[in-house]
Amino acid sequence: VKFAFNLSTTLGTPSGFYAEGFRPAVEGFGPMNPTGTWIGVTVQKANYSALPVGQSFYPTMTKGQSAPAFFSYKNNGNVPWYDEVSAWVAGQRPVRLATDSALNRASAFGSGWRFGPARPAENFAAVYEADGTTLAANQHVAQPGQIVKFAFNLSTSLGTPTGYYVESFRPIVEGYGAMNNTGTWLGVTVAQANYSA
């Protein structure tokens, strides 16, 4: 007889070595003889780490316009990343793109973002294999070594002051913490709208 099963951890599982012993049992009758079967399980500390690998050009907008933007990061940690679509199904915390400098800063360009002006993207726009071009089989979970693209829009209103803005971003694990400071940013230029007839 072969018994197959999964071993699962949570972000709260203490790291360390666990000796997990097992033996068959007859439910309602009792356990069988001690078999001495066990598995040594090592739980490592979750390392959420992002390496920037690409981004969009710096946009120039007139007041009242919006512009698309994106950042791409390689998952160079030791745990998978789950986006909003997959996290709750898998019982994991979602990885989203957050504003930075300061962390969770309200962006002047985030009026259209679903989760507010500090969360530009909650889902992965694409997940690639390590080569950066081959789409991964799962577009909502990024395994270590894979590359995630976050895409979003920057929006202005007619009341947005003209000028040059430095908008910083980095991935965050909601309810767990921000990833390493990636130093990813966009220079955004807002120009005066020119209405002429």
Side-chain angles (χ1 to χ4, degrees):
V1 170
K2 177 182 179 180
F3 293 99
F5 54 95
N6 288 322
L7 298 166
S8 300
T9 63
T10 68
L11 290 176
T13 304
S15 56
F17 181 82
Y18 296 76
E20 291 288 305
F22 303 91
R23 64 167 140 163
V26 183
E27 293 294 349
F29 182 78
M32 296 188 189
N33 52 296
T35 56
T37 47
W38 62 282
I39 295 175
V41 181
T42 300
V43 177
Q44 296 179 334
K45 180 177 174 59
N47 176 24
Y48 286 96
S49 181
L51 176 69
V53 293
Q55 68 177 76
S56 54
F57 293 112
Y58 297 171
T60 296
M61 298 177 282
T62 57
K63 294 184 177 187
Q65 286 188 326
S66 63
F70 76 86
F71 287 98
S72 296
Y73 302 92
K74 183 176 183 178
N75 177 355
N76 65 341
N78 63 358
V79 288
W81 297 356
Y82 297 82
D83 71 2
E84 195 68 23
V85 171
S86 62
W88 307 116
V89 176
Q92 300 291 327
R93 297 183 186 274
V95 171
R96 299 173 181 148
L97 188 64
T99 55
D100 201 16
S101 298
L103 185 65
N104 297 325
R105 161 190 57 83
S107 172
F109 305 99
S111 61
W113 299 342
R114 179 183 170 197
F115 286 1
R119 292 291 180 277
E122 71 278 2
N123 286 318
F124 305 152
V127 180
Y128 299 96
E129 297 296 348
D131 61 12
T133 56
T134 305
L135 286 172
N138 192 329
Q139 286 294 290
H140 298 286
V141 179
Q143 299 295 335
Q146 292 182 330
I147 294 171
V148 165
K149 179 181 181 181
F150 290 102
F152 56 98
N153 283 323
L154 300 163
S155 301
T156 64
S157 69
L158 292 178
T160 303
T162 58
Y164 181 78
Y165 296 76
V166 175
E167 291 286 303
S168 299
F169 304 90
R170 67 164 138 167
I172 191 170
V173 186
E174 291 291 357
Y176 184 74
M179 295 192 197
N180 51 299
N181 191 336
T182 55
T184 45
W185 59 280
L186 288 170
V188 182
T189 300
V190 178
Q192 179 67 47
N194 179 20
Y195 294 98
S196 179

PDB file of all heavy atoms in Angstrom, residues 135-168:
ATOM      1  N   LEU A 135       5.853  32.584 -21.747  1.00  0.00           N
ATOM      2  CA  LEU A 135       4.814  32.696 -20.733  1.00  0.00           C
ATOM      3  C   LEU A 135       4.778  31.443 -19.865  1.00  0.00           C
ATOM      4  O   LEU A 135       4.870  30.322 -20.373  1.00  0.00           O
ATOM      5  CB  LEU A 135       3.451  32.909 -21.397  1.00  0.00           C
ATOM      6  CG  LEU A 135       3.195  34.298 -21.997  1.00  0.00           C
ATOM      7  CD1 LEU A 135       1.887  34.297 -22.785  1.00  0.00           C
ATOM      8  CD2 LEU A 135       3.165  35.356 -20.906  1.00  0.00           C
ATOM      9  N   ALA A 136       4.642  31.631 -18.561  1.00  0.00           N
ATOM     10  CA  ALA A 136       4.553  30.507 -17.629  1.00  0.00           C
ATOM     11  C   ALA A 136       3.189  29.846 -17.757  1.00  0.00           C
ATOM     12  O   ALA A 136       2.211  30.462 -18.205  1.00  0.00           O
ATOM     13  CB  ALA A 136       4.771  30.996 -16.203  1.00  0.00           C
ATOM     14  N   ALA A 137       3.105  28.593 -17.341  1.00  0.00           N
ATOM     15  CA  ALA A 137       1.851  27.846 -17.424  1.00  0.00           C
ATOM     16  C   ALA A 137       0.784  28.479 -16.539  1.00  0.00           C
ATOM     17  O   ALA A 137      -0.391  28.527 -16.900  1.00  0.00           O
ATOM     18  CB  ALA A 137       2.074  26.389 -17.031  1.00  0.00           C
ATOM     19  N   ASN A 138       1.177  28.974 -15.369  1.00  0.00           N
ATOM     20  CA  ASN A 138       0.246  29.620 -14.451  1.00  0.00           C
ATOM     21  C   ASN A 138       0.493  31.127 -14.474  1.00  0.00           C
ATOM     22  O   ASN A 138       1.580  31.587 -14.128  1.00  0.00           O
ATOM     23  CB  ASN A 138       0.415  29.070 -13.034  1.00  0.00           C
ATOM     24  CG  ASN A 138      -0.713  29.487 -12.114  1.00  0.00           C
ATOM     25  OD1 ASN A 138      -1.301  30.558 -12.264  1.00  0.00           O
ATOM     26  ND2 ASN A 138      -1.033  28.634 -11.148  1.00  0.00           N
ATOM     27  N   GLN A 139      -0.500  31.892 -14.884  1.00  0.00           N
ATOM     28  CA  GLN A 139      -0.351  33.337 -15.019  1.00  0.00           C
ATOM     29  C   GLN A 139      -0.734  34.103 -13.748  1.00  0.00           C
ATOM     30  O   GLN A 139      -0.764  35.333 -13.761  1.00  0.00           O
ATOM     31  CB  GLN A 139      -1.183  33.836 -16.195  1.00  0.00           C
ATOM     32  CG  GLN A 139      -0.593  33.485 -17.556  1.00  0.00           C
ATOM     33  CD  GLN A 139       0.723  34.195 -17.794  1.00  0.00           C
ATOM     34  OE1 GLN A 139       0.772  35.402 -17.980  1.00  0.00           O
ATOM     35  NE2 GLN A 139       1.827  33.449 -17.773  1.00  0.00           N
ATOM     36  N   HIS A 140      -1.005  33.385 -12.664  1.00  0.00           N
ATOM     37  CA  HIS A 140      -1.377  34.045 -11.413  1.00  0.00           C
ATOM     38  C   HIS A 140      -0.521  33.604 -10.231  1.00  0.00           C
ATOM     39  O   HIS A 140      -0.746  34.034  -9.105  1.00  0.00           O
ATOM     40  CB  HIS A 140      -2.859  33.817 -11.112  1.00  0.00           C
ATOM     41  CG  HIS A 140      -3.766  34.400 -12.153  1.00  0.00           C
ATOM     42  ND1 HIS A 140      -3.999  35.756 -12.256  1.00  0.00           N
ATOM     43  CD2 HIS A 140      -4.465  33.816 -13.166  1.00  0.00           C
ATOM     44  CE1 HIS A 140      -4.817  35.978 -13.274  1.00  0.00           C
ATOM     45  NE2 HIS A 140      -5.104  34.834 -13.841  1.00  0.00           N
ATOM     46  N   VAL A 141       0.464  32.739 -10.485  1.00  0.00           N
ATOM     47  CA  VAL A 141       1.429  32.314  -9.459  1.00  0.00           C
ATOM     48  C   VAL A 141       2.814  32.388 -10.077  1.00  0.00           C
ATOM     49  O   VAL A 141       3.041  31.849 -11.160  1.00  0.00           O
ATOM     50  CB  VAL A 141       1.153  30.875  -8.962  1.00  0.00           C
ATOM     51  CG1 VAL A 141       2.189  30.468  -7.926  1.00  0.00           C
ATOM     52  CG2 VAL A 141      -0.257  30.749  -8.390  1.00  0.00           C
ATOM     53  N   ALA A 142       3.739  33.058  -9.387  1.00  0.00           N
ATOM     54  CA  ALA A 142       5.119  33.183  -9.886  1.00  0.00           C
ATOM     55  C   ALA A 142       6.046  32.387  -8.983  1.00  0.00           C
ATOM     56  O   ALA A 142       6.229  32.725  -7.814  1.00  0.00           O
ATOM     57  CB  ALA A 142       5.544  34.641  -9.927  1.00  0.00           C
ATOM     58  N   GLN A 143       6.625  31.347  -9.530  1.00  0.00           N
ATOM     59  CA  GLN A 143       7.566  30.513  -8.779  1.00  0.00           C
ATOM     60  C   GLN A 143       8.929  31.208  -8.707  1.00  0.00           C
ATOM     61  O   GLN A 143       9.224  32.092  -9.520  1.00  0.00           O
ATOM     62  CB  GLN A 143       7.710  29.139  -9.456  1.00  0.00           C
ATOM     63  CG  GLN A 143       6.419  28.340  -9.534  1.00  0.00           C
ATOM     64  CD  GLN A 143       5.885  27.927  -8.181  1.00  0.00           C
ATOM     65  OE1 GLN A 143       6.635  27.802  -7.203  1.00  0.00           O
ATOM     66  NE2 GLN A 143       4.576  27.720  -8.087  1.00  0.00           N
ATOM     67  N   PRO A 144       9.771  30.835  -7.742  1.00  0.00           N
ATOM     68  CA  PRO A 144      11.128  31.391  -7.708  1.00  0.00           C
ATOM     69  C   PRO A 144      11.823  31.229  -9.064  1.00  0.00           C
ATOM     70  O   PRO A 144      11.761  30.167  -9.679  1.00  0.00           O
ATOM     71  CB  PRO A 144      11.807  30.556  -6.617  1.00  0.00           C
ATOM     72  CG  PRO A 144      10.700  30.187  -5.687  1.00  0.00           C
ATOM     73  CD  PRO A 144       9.512  29.943  -6.590  1.00  0.00           C
ATOM     74  N   GLY A 145      12.433  32.302  -9.542  1.00  0.00           N
ATOM     75  CA  GLY A 145      13.103  32.300 -10.839  1.00  0.00           C
ATOM     76  C   GLY A 145      12.248  32.852 -11.964  1.00  0.00           C
ATOM     77  O   GLY A 145      12.779  33.232 -13.010  1.00  0.00           O
ATOM     78  N   GLN A 146      10.938  32.901 -11.783  1.00  0.00           N
ATOM     79  CA  GLN A 146      10.064  33.442 -12.820  1.00  0.00           C
ATOM     80  C   GLN A 146       9.965  34.965 -12.705  1.00  0.00           C
ATOM     81  O   GLN A 146      10.360  35.559 -11.706  1.00  0.00           O
ATOM     82  CB  GLN A 146       8.685  32.791 -12.742  1.00  0.00           C
ATOM     83  CG  GLN A 146       8.697  31.316 -13.113  1.00  0.00           C
ATOM     84  CD  GLN A 146       7.319  30.675 -13.071  1.00  0.00           C
ATOM     85  OE1 GLN A 146       6.444  31.069 -12.310  1.00  0.00           O
ATOM     86  NE2 GLN A 146       7.128  29.647 -13.897  1.00  0.00           N
ATOM     87  N   ILE A 147       9.431  35.573 -13.753  1.00  0.00           N
ATOM     88  CA  ILE A 147       9.359  37.032 -13.850  1.00  0.00           C
ATOM     89  C   ILE A 147       7.905  37.479 -13.903  1.00  0.00           C
ATOM     90  O   ILE A 147       7.103  36.915 -14.661  1.00  0.00           O
ATOM     91  CB  ILE A 147      10.129  37.528 -15.086  1.00  0.00           C
ATOM     92  CG1 ILE A 147      11.627  37.246 -14.917  1.00  0.00           C
ATOM     93  CG2 ILE A 147       9.891  39.017 -15.333  1.00  0.00           C
ATOM     94  CD1 ILE A 147      12.449  37.492 -16.166  1.00  0.00           C
ATOM     95  N   VAL A 148       7.582  38.484 -13.111  1.00  0.00           N
ATOM     96  CA  VAL A 148       6.225  39.030 -13.035  1.00  0.00           C
ATOM     97  C   VAL A 148       6.202  40.433 -13.626  1.00  0.00           C
ATOM     98  O   VAL A 148       7.096  41.240 -13.370  1.00  0.00           O
ATOM     99  CB  VAL A 148       5.750  39.084 -11.565  1.00  0.00           C
ATOM    100  CG1 VAL A 148       4.523  39.978 -11.423  1.00  0.00           C
ATOM    101  CG2 VAL A 148       5.441  37.692 -11.056  1.00  0.00           C
ATOM    102  N   LYS A 149       5.165  40.711 -14.405  1.00  0.00           N
ATOM    103  CA  LYS A 149       4.939  42.055 -14.931  1.00  0.00           C
ATOM    104  C   LYS A 149       3.704  42.645 -14.256  1.00  0.00           C
ATOM    105  O   LYS A 149       2.634  42.042 -14.252  1.00  0.00           O
ATOM    106  CB  LYS A 149       4.739  42.008 -16.442  1.00  0.00           C
ATOM    107  CG  LYS A 149       4.469  43.375 -17.071  1.00  0.00           C
ATOM    108  CD  LYS A 149       4.259  43.236 -18.580  1.00  0.00           C
ATOM    109  CE  LYS A 149       4.000  44.577 -19.236  1.00  0.00           C
ATOM    110  NZ  LYS A 149       3.782  44.439 -20.702  1.00  0.00           N
ATOM    111  N   PHE A 150       3.870  43.809 -13.642  1.00  0.00           N
ATOM    112  CA  PHE A 150       2.756  44.579 -13.093  1.00  0.00           C
ATOM    113  C   PHE A 150       2.460  45.726 -14.056  1.00  0.00           C
ATOM    114  O   PHE A 150       3.353  46.507 -14.382  1.00  0.00           O
ATOM    115  CB  PHE A 150       3.117  45.180 -11.733  1.00  0.00           C
ATOM    116  CG  PHE A 150       3.246  44.185 -10.609  1.00  0.00           C
ATOM    117  CD1 PHE A 150       4.498  43.784 -10.171  1.00  0.00           C
ATOM    118  CD2 PHE A 150       2.121  43.681  -9.973  1.00  0.00           C
ATOM    119  CE1 PHE A 150       4.632  42.899  -9.120  1.00  0.00           C
ATOM    120  CE2 PHE A 150       2.242  42.792  -8.920  1.00  0.00           C
ATOM    121  CZ  PHE A 150       3.495  42.394  -8.491  1.00  0.00           C
ATOM    122  N   ALA A 151       1.218  45.844 -14.506  1.00  0.00           N
ATOM    123  CA  ALA A 151       0.828  46.925 -15.411  1.00  0.00           C
ATOM    124  C   ALA A 151      -0.277  47.756 -14.771  1.00  0.00           C
ATOM    125  O   ALA A 151      -1.143  47.221 -14.071  1.00  0.00           O
ATOM    126  CB  ALA A 151       0.353  46.354 -16.740  1.00  0.00           C
ATOM    127  N   PHE A 152      -0.247  49.057 -15.004  1.00  0.00           N
ATOM    128  CA  PHE A 152      -1.221  49.960 -14.399  1.00  0.00           C
ATOM    129  C   PHE A 152      -1.280  51.256 -15.190  1.00  0.00           C
ATOM    130  O   PHE A 152      -0.455  51.493 -16.080  1.00  0.00           O
ATOM    131  CB  PHE A 152      -0.866  50.233 -12.928  1.00  0.00           C
ATOM    132  CG  PHE A 152       0.528  50.772 -12.717  1.00  0.00           C
ATOM    133  CD1 PHE A 152       0.748  52.125 -12.565  1.00  0.00           C
ATOM    134  CD2 PHE A 152       1.622  49.911 -12.675  1.00  0.00           C
ATOM    135  CE1 PHE A 152       2.035  52.632 -12.374  1.00  0.00           C
ATOM    136  CE2 PHE A 152       2.908  50.400 -12.474  1.00  0.00           C
ATOM    137  CZ  PHE A 152       3.118  51.766 -12.337  1.00  0.00           C
ATOM    138  N   ASN A 153      -2.243  52.090 -14.861  1.00  0.00           N
ATOM    139  CA  ASN A 153      -2.374  53.402 -15.494  1.00  0.00           C
ATOM    140  C   ASN A 153      -2.078  54.506 -14.497  1.00  0.00           C
ATOM    141  O   ASN A 153      -2.438  54.403 -13.319  1.00  0.00           O
ATOM    142  CB  ASN A 153      -3.787  53.601 -16.056  1.00  0.00           C
ATOM    143  CG  ASN A 153      -4.007  52.852 -17.354  1.00  0.00           C
ATOM    144  OD1 ASN A 153      -3.104  52.755 -18.186  1.00  0.00           O
ATOM    145  ND2 ASN A 153      -5.193  52.304 -17.523  1.00  0.00           N
ATOM    146  N   LEU A 154      -1.432  55.553 -14.968  1.00  0.00           N
ATOM    147  CA  LEU A 154      -1.232  56.773 -14.197  1.00  0.00           C
ATOM    148  C   LEU A 154      -2.252  57.786 -14.691  1.00  0.00           C
ATOM    149  O   LEU A 154      -2.361  58.032 -15.899  1.00  0.00           O
ATOM    150  CB  LEU A 154       0.188  57.309 -14.404  1.00  0.00           C
ATOM    151  CG  LEU A 154       1.318  56.381 -13.991  1.00  0.00           C
ATOM    152  CD1 LEU A 154       2.630  56.831 -14.628  1.00  0.00           C
ATOM    153  CD2 LEU A 154       1.458  56.339 -12.480  1.00  0.00           C
ATOM    154  N   SER A 155      -3.023  58.373 -13.779  1.00  0.00           N
ATOM    155  CA  SER A 155      -4.101  59.276 -14.175  1.00  0.00           C
ATOM    156  C   SER A 155      -3.889  60.673 -13.608  1.00  0.00           C
ATOM    157  O   SER A 155      -3.405  60.825 -12.479  1.00  0.00           O
ATOM    158  CB  SER A 155      -5.456  58.740 -13.692  1.00  0.00           C
ATOM    159  OG  SER A 155      -5.716  57.461 -14.234  1.00  0.00           O
ATOM    160  N   THR A 156      -4.264  61.664 -14.384  1.00  0.00           N
ATOM    161  CA  THR A 156      -4.228  63.056 -13.925  1.00  0.00           C
ATOM    162  C   THR A 156      -5.631  63.646 -14.059  1.00  0.00           C
ATOM    163  O   THR A 156      -6.493  63.104 -14.745  1.00  0.00           O
ATOM    164  CB  THR A 156      -3.243  63.907 -14.733  1.00  0.00           C
ATOM    165  OG1 THR A 156      -3.701  63.974 -16.091  1.00  0.00           O
ATOM    166  CG2 THR A 156      -1.841  63.331 -14.689  1.00  0.00           C
ATOM    167  N   SER A 157      -5.819  64.760 -13.416  1.00  0.00           N
ATOM    168  CA  SER A 157      -7.060  65.525 -13.573  1.00  0.00           C
ATOM    169  C   SER A 157      -6.687  66.925 -14.046  1.00  0.00           C
ATOM    170  O   SER A 157      -5.499  67.282 -14.101  1.00  0.00           O
ATOM    171  CB  SER A 157      -7.817  65.594 -12.248  1.00  0.00           C
ATOM    172  OG  SER A 157      -7.105  66.407 -11.322  1.00  0.00           O
ATOM    173  N   LEU A 158      -7.681  67.727 -14.352  1.00  0.00           N
ATOM    174  CA  LEU A 158      -7.404  69.098 -14.778  1.00  0.00           C
ATOM    175  C   LEU A 158      -6.828  69.925 -13.639  1.00  0.00           C
ATOM    176  O   LEU A 158      -6.239  70.978 -13.856  1.00  0.00           O
ATOM    177  CB  LEU A 158      -8.681  69.751 -15.320  1.00  0.00           C
ATOM    178  CG  LEU A 158      -9.198  69.177 -16.637  1.00  0.00           C
ATOM    179  CD1 LEU A 158     -10.492  69.869 -17.050  1.00  0.00           C
ATOM    180  CD2 LEU A 158      -8.151  69.304 -17.747  1.00  0.00           C
ATOM    181  N   GLY A 159      -6.959  69.414 -12.404  1.00  0.00           N
ATOM    182  CA  GLY A 159      -6.415  70.126 -11.256  1.00  0.00           C
ATOM    183  C   GLY A 159      -5.032  69.664 -10.834  1.00  0.00           C
ATOM    184  O   GLY A 159      -4.458  70.208  -9.887  1.00  0.00           O
ATOM    185  N   THR A 160      -4.471  68.672 -11.516  1.00  0.00           N
ATOM    186  CA  THR A 160      -3.128  68.182 -11.167  1.00  0.00           C
ATOM    187  C   THR A 160      -2.090  69.258 -11.498  1.00  0.00           C
ATOM    188  O   THR A 160      -2.030  69.729 -12.644  1.00  0.00           O
ATOM    189  CB  THR A 160      -2.789  66.891 -11.938  1.00  0.00           C
ATOM    190  OG1 THR A 160      -3.788  65.900 -11.678  1.00  0.00           O
ATOM    191  CG2 THR A 160      -1.425  66.354 -11.510  1.00  0.00           C
ATOM    192  N   PRO A 161      -1.280  69.671 -10.535  1.00  0.00           N
ATOM    193  CA  PRO A 161      -0.263  70.696 -10.828  1.00  0.00           C
ATOM    194  C   PRO A 161       0.729  70.214 -11.887  1.00  0.00           C
ATOM    195  O   PRO A 161       1.107  69.039 -11.916  1.00  0.00           O
ATOM    196  CB  PRO A 161       0.433  70.904  -9.483  1.00  0.00           C
ATOM    197  CG  PRO A 161      -0.548  70.435  -8.462  1.00  0.00           C
ATOM    198  CD  PRO A 161      -1.298  69.301  -9.107  1.00  0.00           C
ATOM    199  N   THR A 162       1.140  71.118 -12.764  1.00  0.00           N
ATOM    200  CA  THR A 162       2.157  70.762 -13.744  1.00  0.00           C
ATOM    201  C   THR A 162       3.495  70.583 -13.044  1.00  0.00           C
ATOM    202  O   THR A 162       3.722  71.079 -11.935  1.00  0.00           O
ATOM    203  CB  THR A 162       2.290  71.861 -14.813  1.00  0.00           C
ATOM    204  OG1 THR A 162       2.628  73.092 -14.160  1.00  0.00           O
ATOM    205  CG2 THR A 162       0.995  72.032 -15.584  1.00  0.00           C
ATOM    206  N   GLY A 163       4.385  69.832 -13.691  1.00  0.00           N
ATOM    207  CA  GLY A 163       5.708  69.637 -13.113  1.00  0.00           C
ATOM    208  C   GLY A 163       6.226  68.236 -13.347  1.00  0.00           C
ATOM    209  O   GLY A 163       5.624  67.439 -14.079  1.00  0.00           O
ATOM    210  N   TYR A 164       7.351  67.963 -12.720  1.00  0.00           N
ATOM    211  CA  TYR A 164       8.017  66.664 -12.840  1.00  0.00           C
ATOM    212  C   TYR A 164       7.880  65.930 -11.510  1.00  0.00           C
ATOM    213  O   TYR A 164       8.173  66.484 -10.451  1.00  0.00           O
ATOM    214  CB  TYR A 164       9.493  66.859 -13.193  1.00  0.00           C
ATOM    215  CG  TYR A 164      10.266  65.572 -13.364  1.00  0.00           C
ATOM    216  CD1 TYR A 164      10.162  64.822 -14.528  1.00  0.00           C
ATOM    217  CD2 TYR A 164      11.117  65.118 -12.348  1.00  0.00           C
ATOM    218  CE1 TYR A 164      10.883  63.652 -14.698  1.00  0.00           C
ATOM    219  CE2 TYR A 164      11.844  63.946 -12.512  1.00  0.00           C
ATOM    220  CZ  TYR A 164      11.715  63.211 -13.677  1.00  0.00           C
ATOM    221  OH  TYR A 164      12.426  62.056 -13.838  1.00  0.00           O
ATOM    222  N   TYR A 165       7.414  64.683 -11.569  1.00  0.00           N
ATOM    223  CA  TYR A 165       7.167  63.883 -10.377  1.00  0.00           C
ATOM    224  C   TYR A 165       8.030  62.620 -10.421  1.00  0.00           C
ATOM    225  O   TYR A 165       8.173  61.992 -11.475  1.00  0.00           O
ATOM    226  CB  TYR A 165       5.705  63.444 -10.296  1.00  0.00           C
ATOM    227  CG  TYR A 165       4.702  64.559 -10.159  1.00  0.00           C
ATOM    228  CD1 TYR A 165       4.350  65.351 -11.259  1.00  0.00           C
ATOM    229  CD2 TYR A 165       4.076  64.808  -8.947  1.00  0.00           C
ATOM    230  CE1 TYR A 165       3.414  66.367 -11.139  1.00  0.00           C
ATOM    231  CE2 TYR A 165       3.129  65.819  -8.817  1.00  0.00           C
ATOM    232  CZ  TYR A 165       2.798  66.597  -9.915  1.00  0.00           C
ATOM    233  OH  TYR A 165       1.863  67.587  -9.796  1.00  0.00           O
ATOM    234  N   VAL A 166       8.585  62.249  -9.275  1.00  0.00           N
ATOM    235  CA  VAL A 166       9.304  60.978  -9.145  1.00  0.00           C
ATOM    236  C   VAL A 166       8.395  60.024  -8.385  1.00  0.00           C
ATOM    237  O   VAL A 166       8.100  60.231  -7.199  1.00  0.00           O
ATOM    238  CB  VAL A 166      10.644  61.153  -8.403  1.00  0.00           C
ATOM    239  CG1 VAL A 166      11.312  59.804  -8.186  1.00  0.00           C
ATOM    240  CG2 VAL A 166      11.561  62.082  -9.189  1.00  0.00           C
ATOM    241  N   GLU A 167       7.919  58.986  -9.083  1.00  0.00           N
ATOM    242  CA  GLU A 167       6.993  58.016  -8.508  1.00  0.00           C
ATOM    243  C   GLU A 167       7.716  56.684  -8.296  1.00  0.00           C
ATOM    244  O   GLU A 167       8.117  56.032  -9.255  1.00  0.00           O
ATOM    245  CB  GLU A 167       5.792  57.825  -9.433  1.00  0.00           C
ATOM    246  CG  GLU A 167       4.877  59.037  -9.502  1.00  0.00           C
ATOM    247  CD  GLU A 167       4.055  59.188  -8.225  1.00  0.00           C
ATOM    248  OE1 GLU A 167       3.337  58.248  -7.858  1.00  0.00           O
ATOM    249  OE2 GLU A 167       4.158  60.256  -7.589  1.00  0.00           O
ATOM    250  N   SER A 168       7.861  56.296  -7.024  1.00  0.00           N
ATOM    251  CA  SER A 168       8.597  55.074  -6.679  1.00  0.00           C
ATOM    252  C   SER A 168       7.641  53.938  -6.327  1.00  0.00           C
ATOM    253  O   SER A 168       6.568  54.178  -5.763  1.00  0.00           O
ATOM    254  CB  SER A 168       9.535  55.331  -5.500  1.00  0.00           C
ATOM    255  OG  SER A 168      10.483  56.316  -5.824  1.00  0.00           O
TER     256      SER A 168
END
